[in-house]
Amino acid sequence: MGIVLCTTALTVYFACYSISKVVVTMLACSLLLQLAYFVSVLLLIWRSGLVSRAGQRAEDFGSCKEIGSEPPDLDEVTNESADLLQRDQMLAISLLLP
């Protein structure tokens, strides 16, 4: 991010020879970079939610197709839900770290 901002600042300065235009351009560029980063993190979190929901639907469909199978125990369902929640939280935290 710093390299992009410095390059932009030098380019604007040598093109216009104006410090005020450099400051305005730097602010605009930094806001655009932060917005792009925020949107990309939201997109990654949204996609991870879709993947986990699709996996859950596939598991549900597979269990419905089995004939004569018994429903899973409440403990098994609770443990699987806790594992998925913990995995999703760890993924979200790792996405926020630089």
Side-chain angles (χ1 to χ4, degrees), residues 10-76:
L10 287 174
T11 304
V12 170
Y13 181 74
F14 287 123
C16 301
Y17 295 107
S18 172
I19 297 294
S20 62
K21 287 186 181 183
V22 169
V23 171
V24 170
T25 305
M26 291 272 297
L27 288 174
C29 187
S30 65
L31 286 175
L32 271 173
L33 286 172
Q34 288 179 5
L35 181 67
Y37 178 75
F38 182 72
V39 169
S40 65
V41 168
L42 287 179
L43 180 67
L44 288 171
I45 292 171
W46 175 71
R47 283 183 57 196
S48 71
L50 287 178
V51 169
S52 68
R53 276 187 254 138
Q56 183 65 33
R57 287 185 189 138
E59 288 176 9
D60 292 344
F61 181 72
S63 66
C64 291
K65 286 182 70 176
E66 296 174 6
I67 299 175
S69 66
E70 297 178 10
D73 293 336
L74 181 60
D75 292 336
E76 291 177 11

